[in-house]
């Protein structure tokens, strides 16, 4: 009986304690570098389409676009994305 319980505990320890989700990240305050590192380390395999990963990817995209628009000589300085694409 004790052997069965011990072997069950070992099996649960080895296979039953997988992470069920990537860790949380505050996408509003995270920099582009932090978001890139988060995506690189946490959004692989099964977690690639997880909500937290999708939010991090979307936030990184938006921040990269905003940073590009803020650079001198960018067309984004002249017109907004809504004006350029009619959204």
């Amino acid at each position: 009986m004790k052997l069965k319980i011990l072997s069950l505990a070992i099996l649960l320890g080895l296979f039953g304690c997988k992470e069920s989700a990537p860790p949380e990240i505050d996408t509003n305050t995270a920099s582009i570098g932090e978001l890139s590192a988060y995506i690189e380390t946490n959004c692989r395999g099964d977690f690639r389409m997880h909500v937290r990963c999708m939010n991090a990817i979307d936030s990184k995209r938006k921040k990269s676009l905003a940073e590009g628009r803020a650079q001198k000589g960018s067309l984004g300085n002249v017109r907004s994305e809504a004006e350029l694409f009619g959204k």
Side-chain angles (χ1 to χ4, degrees), residues 2 25-26 31 53 55:
K2 289 183 181 182
I25 184 170
D26 185 2
S31 69
C53 288
N55 288 342

Side-chain angles (χ1 to χ4, degrees), residues 12-76:
L12 286 176
L14 292 176
F15 300 108
C17 296
K18 293 181 182 177
E19 285 188 48
S20 59
E24 291 187 36
I25 184 170
D26 185 2
T27 57
N28 294 326
T29 59
S31 69
I32 295 172
E34 291 171 335
L35 290 168
S36 293
Y38 176 85
I39 293 165
E40 186 68 30
T41 58
N42 297 306
C43 299
R44 299 284 179 209
D46 295 339
F47 295 139
R48 188 176 65 223
M49 297 303 288
H50 192 276
V51 172
R52 291 179 185 160
C53 288
M54 297 303 293
N55 288 342
I57 292 167
D58 188 50
S59 180
K60 178 186 170 198
R61 181 187 61 81
K62 287 179 181 177
K63 287 182 181 192
S64 295
L65 287 173
E67 188 176 278
R69 275 190 235 112
Q71 291 179 355
K72 187 176 180 179
S74 171
L75 289 177

